[in-house]
Amino acid sequence: MRWKNVVIPLLAVLLVGMLVVPASAADEPAGGGILEAIIDFFTWWIPESEPAGTVTTLSEGESPEIPGTNITAAPTPEPTTTPGENVTITPTPPPTPRTLGTVYAVNYKTSPPYGSAPFMVRFTAVNETDVEYTHWNFGDGYSSTERDHWHTYETAGTYTATLTAGNSTWNQTAEIVITVEPPGVVPLPTDAEEMF
């Protein structure tokens, strides 16, 4: 019963405070109003789902402060033909593996990605002129077509994340294993550990 004695007056003060508009704010454009403030007040504790819209991307030449793990795909070799009479076969070198993206364990700064749930990982596909599309499959039922995407693994498990990148004439797929332990199993690095 005591919580009612605290919460009800607090709500009354909040509501009255929202209704009183300072004179200087009257000239400013409205930013959502009372309804938005009430919704924000009662829903601040609800965890957000996957981030939507634009996320921070790396500029050309900018490197993140956390170590990343490159994910690489080996291109499929061109089909060969069966030699016949008077046919000269020139051996071709095997295709060169291509790095399609980099994966970062945001809070743990581990490479390969490893940490405790909830475990935030940044997935970044290469930004090259011949890559027209990217598709991330995070292995936990979520996916994204953003080149640069932040994803949180909420439960412990081993997940295989895949990246498919390409254009109208080619595509390649690479994968990486993400290991997520139960909450608290893998301690976050301290500031002193990050200095070395």
Side-chain angles (χ1 to χ4, degrees):
M1 290 295 218
R2 286 184 182 231
W3 65 271
K4 288 183 182 178
N5 294 336
V6 173
V7 172
I8 292 174
L10 180 63
L11 290 175
V13 169
L14 176 67
L15 197 53
V16 169
M18 289 187 304
L19 294 174
V20 176
V21 178
S24 62
D27 296 333
E28 297 175 10
I34 295 171
L35 181 59
E36 183 177 325
I38 292 171
I39 291 171
D40 288 345
F41 177 78
F42 286 105
T43 60
W44 65 267
W45 58 272
I46 299 174
E48 294 193 24
S49 59
E50 286 297 306
T54 307
V55 295
T56 305
T57 58
L58 296 175
S59 303
E60 293 301 317
E62 179 185 6
S63 63
E65 297 176 9
I66 55 178
T69 303
N70 287 340
I71 58 174
T72 305
T76 307
E78 295 296 320
T80 57
T81 57
T82 306
E85 286 187 41
N86 300 326
V87 175
T88 304
I89 304 257
T90 306
T92 57
T96 304
R98 180 174 181 169
T99 298
L100 296 182
T102 307
V103 178
Y104 305 95
V106 177
N107 295 326
Y108 288 91
K109 303 180 181 178
T110 55
S111 179
Y114 174 76
S116 288
F119 183 50
M120 182 182 290
V121 180
R122 182 178 182 182
F123 294 86
T124 305
V126 295
N127 189 15
E128 297 177 0
T129 56
D130 64 336
V131 176
E132 295 175 359
Y133 65 85
T134 57
H135 182 266
W136 290 101
N137 181 335
F138 305 118
D140 63 350
Y142 291 99
S143 63
S144 174
T145 56
E146 294 176 329
R147 186 188 74 77
D148 188 9
H149 187 85
W150 298 68
H151 179 72
T152 301
Y153 290 92
E154 298 293 339
T155 57
T158 302
Y159 303 94
T160 301
T162 59
L163 167 62
T164 302
N167 61 31
S168 60
T169 60
W170 68 272
N171 74 47
Q172 293 181 357
T173 300
E175 62 183 38
I176 186 168
V177 174
I178 310 287
T179 304
V180 182
E181 297 292 345
V185 171
V186 182
L188 286 168
T190 64
D191 290 338
E193 290 172 336
E194 292 179 12
M195 291 175 60
F196 300 102

